[in-house]
Amino acid sequence: MTLRKYAGLGALLSLAMPSLAMAQEAAAEPTLNSGDTAWMLVSTALVLFMTIPGLALFYGGMVRAKNILSVMMQCFAITGLISILWMIYGYSLAFDTTGMEKGVTNFNSFIGGFGKAFLSSITHDGLTGAAALFPESIFVTFQMTFAIITPALIVGAFAERMKFSAMLVFTGVWFTLVYAPIAHMVWSGDGGLMWDWGVLDFAGGTVVHINAGIAGLVAALVLGKRKGYPTTPMAPHNLGYTLVGAAMLWVGWFGFNAGSAVAANGTAGMAMLVTQIATASAALAWMFAEWITHGKPSALGIASGVVAGLVAITPAAGTVGPMGALIIGAVAGVICFFCATSLKRKIGYDDSLDAFGVHGVGGIVGALLTGIFAAPALGGFGTVTDIGGQLWIQLKGVLFTLVYTGILTFVILKVIDMVMGLRVSDEEETVGLDLTLHNERGYNM
């Protein structure tokens, strides 16, 4: 009886074993995480919202009334152009890892290949992420929005004087030769040049802001000053638009920073918290610095301080704690204020909407302070144990980006200028770009 019972049990186990093996195999397969997927969908929409309408309004309000449509048009056209270029080859150049190997510097350490061109490798069911938890199609779109806003930021440096046709050509070439390689070197993973150096750039301090900021400075210098600058008053025509745009950037930036955790997890939560703290800190720091220096706080000043704080916390959002964020924001607010006002006047360059003074300088401040406050000893959540060593790595990444982007941007602009010209005529500039380039007016009385 007993033998018969165990024999029956053995038979049942033998029948169950294939089912158990199949269940274990199914459990090992990557499955889509609906929470991560939902968060990345929202984050992607938030980052696109930063450019259109956020940046378009922020910049549009700061130019003169005769040029509001030209700036907004540039933001919309860049959104369309970069979306298509990203699909054709941009994603591949930035994130194709073919030929890359950790610790080995070769051609693929600087730029990706064409293995993902035309998004040929993207399937309906393909997953990605740290544990392959959300569709790769979302990651493609999320990174596309970063590629869109970066050249759009440069618009602020040459606003009110660049040909629309030249802007389109510059954007396409600059995206190909500058943005995609820098993104690849920083974010593509093992074998990427700055990735292997250990540069910390959680959400784009180097890739987006330093990159766009130095390109903006070079563009402002190459094109020259606006007609009448600095003797002719060029006050913002609608600071209401600028404040609304700054508010949209502030809200959208949670997708920018917290979304860069590429998961709905603790890193995303902390990135959201430190983004809010640093932004508030920078806004107040700029406001009080202006109040003390000029006697009154201004709406334009606090809006600029908001953006300076958002920029500075971007590279640090995944590794610093609340106290680090407070300090990063305060330092960025004060330094960016003086660079966008006193330094610009002293040197004499015409960075129309302070693309370099806010994004370039803020990105540099954030990148360097990340090397300090990412250390657990200072309340950070990174793996930094040698603060001096990490600070040198961050400085090396900053210097490399400044040199690479600065030189390539200068060459691109000079070639375009020789071929088709960069700048509108004096008459077109006087009348305004809205009417002369687009045959429209922002305001019809």
Side-chain angles (χ1 to χ4, degrees):
M1 187 82 170
T2 303
L3 290 173
R4 201 177 297 125
K5 181 176 80 171
Y6 283 110
L9 179 60
L12 287 172
L13 287 172
S14 65
L15 289 171
M17 286 304 289
S19 298
L20 288 171
M22 290 174 65
Q24 291 174 345
E25 184 178 347
E29 293 180 0
T31 56
L32 183 143
N33 183 298
S34 59
D36 290 348
T37 300
W39 171 235
M40 292 309 298
L41 284 167
V42 170
S43 295
T44 300
L46 285 171
V47 182
L48 181 60
F49 183 72
M50 289 168 62
T51 304
I52 48 172
L55 187 66
L57 282 167
F58 181 73
Y59 278 172
M62 285 196 282
V63 297
R64 289 166 288 181
K66 62 185 179 181
N67 293 315
I68 179 175
L69 292 182
S70 70
V71 170
M72 290 184 161
M73 178 69 174
Q74 288 169 354
C75 289
F76 273 81
I78 287 172
T79 300
L81 176 63
I82 297 302
S83 297
I84 301 304
L85 296 182
W86 187 253
M87 176 264 177
I88 296 172
Y89 61 80
Y91 179 67
S92 191
L93 292 182
F95 290 101
D96 184 3
T97 58
T98 304
M100 295 173 63
E101 183 180 347
K102 184 176 178 61
V104 176
T105 302
N106 54 29
F107 180 77
N108 296 114
S109 299
F110 296 87
I111 189 69
F114 291 97
K116 297 179 182 290
F118 292 94
L119 304 182
S120 57
S121 63
I122 308 302
T123 64
H124 180 272
D125 300 318
L127 302 178
T128 190
L133 297 179
F134 65 94
E136 186 177 4
S137 57
I138 299 177
F139 182 73
V140 172
T141 316
F142 181 65
Q143 287 297 333
M144 179 192 291
T145 60
F146 281 68
I148 287 168
I149 198 170
T150 306
L153 293 173
I154 305 172
V155 166
F158 55 69
E160 302 192 298
R161 59 196 188 276
M162 191 182 228
K163 291 180 179 179
F164 184 71
S165 55
M167 183 280 301
L168 287 175
V169 174
F170 168 73
T171 297
V173 177
W174 189 88
F175 162 77
T176 305
L177 300 182
V178 180
Y179 179 82
I182 292 291
H184 181 81
M185 286 184 260
V186 175
W187 283 339
S188 62
D190 290 343
L193 183 69
M194 285 188 269
W195 177 283
D196 278 0
W197 286 354
V199 171
L200 298 176
D201 185 8
F202 185 72
T206 301
V207 176
V208 176
H209 300 292
I210 298 176
N211 210 6
I214 189 61
L217 176 61
V218 172
L221 293 172
V222 171
L223 268 80
K225 302 172 186 178
R226 285 169 292 177
K227 186 179 179 183
Y229 181 90
T231 55
T232 302
M234 298 182 181
H237 87 282
N238 193 326
L239 283 176
Y241 285 173
T242 297
L243 286 171
V244 170
M248 291 175 174
L249 287 169
W250 193 335
V251 173
W253 223 285
F254 292 124
F256 202 81
N257 285 356
S260 291
V262 292
N265 57 17
T267 301
M270 183 57 69
M272 177 172 281
L273 174 61
V274 298
T275 297
Q276 181 68 13
I277 292 170
T279 306
S281 178
L284 293 178
W286 186 303
M287 182 186 76
F288 284 116
E290 183 181 42
W291 204 340
I292 293 168
T293 304
H294 297 154
K296 293 182 180 179
S298 70
L300 178 59
I302 199 168
S304 300
V306 163
V307 178
L310 292 166
V311 169
I313 197 60
T314 292
T319 53
V320 304
M323 284 304 299
L326 184 71
I327 296 170
I328 289 172
V331 172
V334 173
I335 291 178
C336 289
F337 165 70
F338 284 106
C339 287
T341 55
S342 302
L343 180 65
K344 185 169 75 169
R345 282 198 302 269
K346 185 174 182 179
I347 297 177
Y349 62 89
D350 184 13
D351 176 5
S352 308
L353 311 180
D354 295 314
F356 173 72
V358 173
H359 294 277
V361 174
I364 292 170
V365 170
L368 296 178
L369 293 183
T370 298
I372 298 173
F373 291 105
L378 295 176
F381 299 94
T383 58
V384 177
T385 56
D386 179 2
I387 294 176
Q390 187 63 46
L391 188 57
W392 163 242
I393 291 171
Q394 297 299 108
L395 178 60
K396 187 164 63 169
V398 168
L399 293 175
F400 180 88
T401 305
L402 291 177
V403 173
Y404 179 88
T405 301
I407 292 174
L408 265 292
T409 302
F410 179 80
V411 172
I412 293 168
L413 287 168
K414 283 295 186 181
V415 171
I416 294 174
D417 195 25
M418 287 189 295
V419 173
M420 60 187 298
L422 287 171
R423 188 163 177 155
V424 298
S425 67
D426 286 350
E427 182 182 356
E428 289 173 325
E429 190 173 345
T430 300
V431 173
L433 275 57
D434 289 359
L435 194 59
T436 58
L437 297 187
H438 307 292
N439 198 30
E440 295 173 303
R441 296 181 187 274
Y443 304 96
N444 291 297
M445 307 304 288

